[in-house]
Amino acid sequence: MDNNMMTYIVIGLVIGFILGMIFMNFISPKGRKYIKAQRELEQTQEELASQKQMMVKHFSHSAEILDNMAKEFRRLYQHIAESSGQFVNNENMPIVELESNNDISIKQELTLEKQPKDYSDNPSGLFKSEDIKP
């Protein structure tokens, strides 16, 4: 065999080997499973990235709302503190005594002489036997 023929055979074998490997990766069950798993991995990574982005957006929006609420509560407190002096003066404030009634007879009327019963003297009829009917 001449030298040219050997070169063509070697080149053909190399190209055939490469094409065979590519063909086996796409046709074989392992190759298809690998490609499917790779697609699923990429899809889940994209979903995870989008969920992370949504969570960051949600928490930043929540923080903004809470900040606005804190500012509004501060404004409300300042408003109440400033306007409280306009409506009520210390001179017009009524004095309320909590222990103004020291009469012992009223306290004795309110206290019970004996403890109340937790049950009724009359039967409810819930557990009546069926042979005794009124």
Side-chain angles (χ1 to χ4, degrees):
M1 290 206 203
D2 66 337
N3 208 3
N4 253 349
M5 183 68 101
M6 288 300 277
T7 330
Y8 290 134
I9 290 175
V10 171
I11 291 174
L13 285 174
V14 170
I15 291 174
F17 182 73
I18 292 172
L19 289 176
M21 291 297 288
I22 293 171
F23 186 70
M24 288 304 290
N25 283 335
F26 288 118
I27 300 296
S28 72
K30 286 184 181 180
R32 281 187 261 153
K33 285 181 184 179
Y34 175 75
I35 292 171
K36 183 180 178 184
Q38 190 174 13
R39 284 186 200 143
E40 288 176 358
L41 176 65
E42 290 171 357
Q43 184 180 6
T44 54
Q45 285 176 343
E46 288 175 3
E47 288 175 3
L48 180 64
S50 68
Q51 285 179 350
K52 283 182 181 179
Q53 196 174 33
M54 284 176 31
M55 287 178 63
V56 167
K57 185 177 178 182
H58 168 75
F59 284 122
S60 66
H61 185 66
S62 298
E64 183 181 330
I65 290 173
L66 287 173
D67 186 43
N68 289 341
M69 283 177 55
K71 288 177 185 176
E72 291 299 318
F73 279 125
R74 226 176 280 119
R75 268 188 52 213
L76 177 66
Y77 177 77
Q78 288 174 353
H79 171 72
I80 289 174
E82 290 172 358
S83 63
S84 65
Q86 295 175 354
F87 299 114
V88 178
N89 294 335
N90 289 340
E91 298 167 359
N92 297 338
M93 192 77 142
I95 299 173
V96 177
E97 291 182 25
L98 297 176
E99 292 290 328
S100 64
N101 206 356
N102 292 332
D103 193 8
I104 297 174
S105 62
I106 295 174
K107 288 182 182 179
Q108 286 178 348
E109 289 176 11
L110 293 176
T111 57
L112 298 173
E113 293 178 11
K114 60 182 180 178
Q115 190 172 5
K117 296 180 183 178
D118 289 341
Y119 58 90
S120 172
D121 287 334
N122 300 328
S124 66
L126 183 64
F127 296 110
K128 284 186 180 179
S129 61
E130 294 188 19
D131 57 334
I132 305 172
K133 291 188 178 178

